[in-house]
Amino acid sequence: MNGIHDMGGMHGFGAVPVDDDAQFHADWERVVFALVRTIRPQGIYNIDESRHGIERMDPADYLAASYFERWLASLERNLVEKGHLTVDEIEAAYQRARDLEDPAELVPQRRDPDLAERVRAAFERPASFNRPNDKPQFAEGDAVRVRNNHPEGHTRCPRYVRRTAGEIRSVHGNHVFPDASAHGEERDEPLYTVAFDAEDVWGPDAEDPDDTIHVDLWEPYLRPAEDER
């Protein structure tokens, strides 16, 4: 991702707080989590489309939003774009909830044992994004450099390693390519773990120049280190 949403790769924001992001702070957060995890097994939208929905939030709204408020914004956006809800329907439900003393009264009751079983199975099944292997371009020990691309859409290539040279440490076979998946395209690419010297990534700001940073990167993000294209 580019722009304000790439806080992990942007200078000036300090350390990214991760102490309690995975905790629920209110009951509505549990509801949002349950809604998202219920919708995905139905094939309405995938995890990359979910991330891309967050990345399209207005920058000011994104910075002001909490973790699960970002999940909710993406949930609404994707349901509208997939034709399951309209903006007017969401706004009307919000206004009705504001007029109730107990907004929980607005929540419809639905019993669907088959759906509940599919969702339960999805929670218990390990996620797998592996695909049949094609011959990868790189092998363990190869010297590579991260391409300095700046896509307008979704990407999982962090800006802080772009242009940086590293070494292939592991070859993981083909996996779903998130840059394409976020836009509904079925595509897989070889995935690698690439090792970088901390000083090459952070320069004099590296806490320990002897540290090694490992990043999982798909093949389209990489080129041979000696290739100047």
Side-chain angles (χ1 to χ4, degrees):
M1 67 197 87
N2 281 330
I4 199 68
H5 311 88
D6 186 17
M7 295 178 68
M10 181 179 291
H11 292 291
F13 283 88
V16 177
V18 295
D19 294 319
D20 61 356
D21 258 2
Q23 298 181 17
F24 296 116
H25 304 91
D27 286 342
W28 70 266
E29 295 181 338
R30 300 175 187 273
V31 174
V32 171
F33 178 83
L35 284 170
V36 171
R37 292 300 301 268
T38 299
I39 287 169
R40 284 185 193 161
Q42 300 180 66
I44 295 174
Y45 67 96
N46 62 45
I47 189 170
D48 297 308
E49 290 172 311
S50 178
R51 289 167 174 156
H52 187 45
I54 292 174
E55 292 161 6
R56 287 181 287 159
M57 292 177 66
D58 179 89
D61 292 339
Y62 175 84
L63 290 175
S66 67
Y67 183 75
F68 283 106
E69 284 173 335
R70 295 168 185 171
W71 274 44
L72 178 58
S74 179
L75 172 67
E76 292 179 351
R77 181 188 295 275
N78 275 284
L79 289 178
V80 169
E81 291 180 348
K82 301 294 184 180
H84 293 272
L85 286 176
T86 67
V87 173
D88 289 343
E89 288 172 333
I90 294 172
E91 182 62 27
Y94 171 72
Q95 293 299 333
R96 289 196 301 272
R98 289 193 63 181
D99 294 337
L100 292 174
E101 291 186 8
D102 181 7
E105 298 175 14
L106 192 66
V107 180
Q109 299 297 315
R110 176 188 174 190
R111 295 188 178 275
D112 189 334
D114 290 339
L115 175 59
E117 183 56 38
R118 292 205 307 274
V119 172
R120 185 179 298 109
F123 268 77
E124 295 173 351
R125 183 172 59 249
S128 175
F129 298 90
N130 294 11
R131 295 297 182 268
N133 291 347
D134 290 330
K135 183 175 176 57
Q137 180 181 354
F138 304 110
E140 291 184 19
D142 283 355
V144 295
R145 186 177 298 276
V146 182
R147 297 179 184 275
N148 188 31
N149 294 335
H150 300 276
E152 293 184 358
H154 179 67
T155 184
R156 298 290 285 174
C157 181
R159 278 181 293 176
Y160 60 83
V161 294
R162 295 176 195 174
R163 296 184 176 181
T164 308
E167 180 182 300
I168 301 293
R169 287 292 171 86
S170 299
V171 181
H172 300 293
N174 277 34
H175 288 245
V176 170
F177 186 45
D179 302 42
S181 177
H183 304 283
E185 179 186 345
E186 287 288 333
R187 179 179 164 192
D188 56 88
E189 295 283 353
L191 178 65
Y192 308 89
T193 295
V194 184
F196 302 92
D197 291 339
E199 194 168 25
D200 289 341
V201 175
W202 305 121
D205 293 329
E207 291 184 4
D208 186 340
D210 294 326
D211 280 348
T212 301
I213 298 170
H214 294 87
V215 183
D216 288 341
L217 297 168
W218 277 261
E219 191 167 280
Y221 304 156
L222 304 171
R223 59 179 174 83
E226 69 277 5
D227 187 349
E228 296 299 329
R229 290 178 298 171

